[in-house]
Amino acid sequence: MFKKILIANRGEIALRIIQACRELGIPTVAVYSTADRDSLHVTYADEEVCIGPPPSRSSYLNISSIISAAEITGADAIHPGYGFLAENAHFAEVLAECKLSWIGPRPEVIRRMGDKAKARQTAAAAGVPVLPGSQEPLEDSAQAERLAAEVGYPVILKAAAGGGGRGMRIVWSESELAGQLAAAREEAEKAFGDGSVYLEKYLVEPRHIEFQVFGDHHGNVIHLGERECSIQRRHQKLIEEAPSPALTPELRERMGAAAVALCQAVQYENAGTIEFLLDSDGSFYFMEMNTRIQVEHPVTEMVTGLDLVKLQIQVAAGDKLTIPSGIKPRGHAIECRVNAENPDTFAPSPGPLRTFHVPGGPGTRVDTHGYEDYVIPPYYDSLVAKLIVHDRSRADAIARMCRALDFFVVEGIQTSIPLHRRILRDPDFAAGRMSTRFMERFLKKEAQTASGDGSGR
Ligand code: MV4
């Protein structure tokens, strides 16, 4: 096992990793920017090293400062959390050269899955369904027009170097294709320094369903079921749940087998997520693979009873996976992301937490780095807390979440708590009727009944 773990992250996930290390009896090193001196991850770690000024590129993305911090403190492994350097193949390679262990998949696999066009090819070669579209990045608009005519409109153009919704263009007819291709290329070139773009048939109203996967260093690969992540706004997830109300045990088994097949094809190690689009007719298609622990991992922990962060550390240290693949989810879990943001404009709302009372009670978990008088700095993401509930059924979990949201008191900043309370009582949400367009429809419905719903808005 590792002797000391450095956490190359901040906020709630840094704290979550410290908790796992403590339970495993492994000392921790926090790194922090000067904006995070008063952060709980610094308080709770055994040692701490300041790695630079507030901007991420000077601190949490600063590879040489982080490696120096590991060398100074004698850490022998690095956990990257999510975001920042978590999917940076170069960082993982440099660590290997410095004889530091990386708690994550091999750098070649990070790189291969980071190229979304290559990931699509890899999935197809492993026998995982992909949407009809291009095998290789597009050459010119004539080729794009030929392909689009073959698969049928609408089609979607995606940046190979993108992911998470950046650099996407939906094309409804041939007359728009050449213009949109040029625009997509330019945007991708600007944002990622790589103008490669590929094309897929566009599904108008799918669900976003992702499978948690794990691989060890001995060739074992398992899946731990799915998360329903259709409730998003501008590609930011708001609510996640497990299991998905849309999956039957039979569909879960087929999608899980596809996820495992893809991981086996690349000899995947550590935690990962396979994202699928699920069409209304029950067909599913590979979308992307994320080669990290995700924000929403707690809903999987609640329905499996596992500690996924501990499992990441154990697997990275060479332990064998002993959990069977496809264990049956127990009960139902829901997570609401509590962001520091303006409830109407969704603009970030950093600042001091004047009151911060978190809910507790049966089946209620709060993952947060917040505390009374903590000041949320403006430099990083706006996630302040994740409120997770677990209960026997989906209806019970919804009732528990409503109760927990009512008992969550945050003053000093604006948060997404009021928005979550409104979503939780939406009849479509209650019935499990959702798609990636849920929030668009929900906000439209609300605008129509403006202030006539008794919510006081
Ligand atoms: C799609 C799609 C429909 N058809 N691809 C959005 C994020 C990026 N990972 C890919 N995304 C999508 N790809 C095809 N062929 C719809 C989306 C999409 C979406 C996916 C998941 C959750 C929310 C979404 C919101 C808009 C579009």
Side-chain angles (χ1 to χ4, degrees), residues 189-259:
E189 181 64 52
K190 241 192 184 156
F192 318 112
D194 174 1
S196 309
V197 167
Y198 65 103
L199 176 152
E200 272 179 4
K201 170 102 188 141
Y202 178 66
L203 293 184
V204 178
E205 205 155 341
R207 286 174 184 258
H208 172 139
I209 290 174
E210 56 184 36
F211 272 71
Q212 179 69 55
V213 291
F214 248 96
D216 68 14
H217 292 192
H218 310 274
N220 302 301
V221 175
I222 62 169
H223 82 81
L224 296 171
E226 81 285 0
R227 296 183 284 261
E228 163 81 61
C229 302
S230 296
I231 313 280
Q232 314 198 352
R233 192 185 162 275
R234 296 204 186 146
H235 305 295
Q236 290 297 314
K237 293 168 187 158
L238 291 170
I239 301 178
E240 306 95 345
E241 58 182 292
S244 164
L247 295 206
T248 59
E250 179 271 331
L251 184 53
R252 178 171 301 115
E253 196 169 310
R254 283 197 290 127
M255 294 178 77

Side-chain angles (χ1 to χ4, degrees), residues 82 86-87 105 109-110 113-114 116 119 162-164 208-213 227 229 232 237 262-263 268-276 286-296 312:
Y82 54 69
E87 293 179 275
V109 180
I110 300 176
M113 293 302 171
K116 304 300 164 185
H208 172 139
I209 290 174
E210 56 184 36
F211 272 71
Q212 179 69 55
V213 291
R227 296 183 284 261
C229 302
Q232 314 198 352
K237 293 168 187 158
L262 175 52
C263 292
Y268 195 79
E269 291 168 1
N270 220 283
T273 299
I274 315 281
E275 297 184 349
F276 292 106
F286 170 79
M287 185 163 57
E288 284 177 22
M289 178 167 193
N290 300 319
T291 56
R292 58 167 191 274
I293 191 81
Q294 296 207 183
V295 175
E296 58 271 26
Q312 281 193 291

Side-chain angles (χ1 to χ4, degrees), residues 40-56:
L40 283 190
H41 78 284
V42 179
T43 310
Y44 285 132
D46 296 292
E47 292 173 79
E48 63 283 330
V49 180
C50 183
I51 51 165
S56 302

Side-chain angles (χ1 to χ4, degrees), residues 128-162:
V128 177
V130 297
L131 279 151
S134 48
Q135 304 303 315
E136 301 279 336
L138 295 167
E139 275 154 32
D140 51 32
S141 58
Q143 187 215 9
E145 283 168 8
R146 257 183 283 124
L147 266 171
E150 239 175 79
V151 309
Y153 288 89
V155 297
I156 185 166
L157 301 172
K158 295 181 177 179

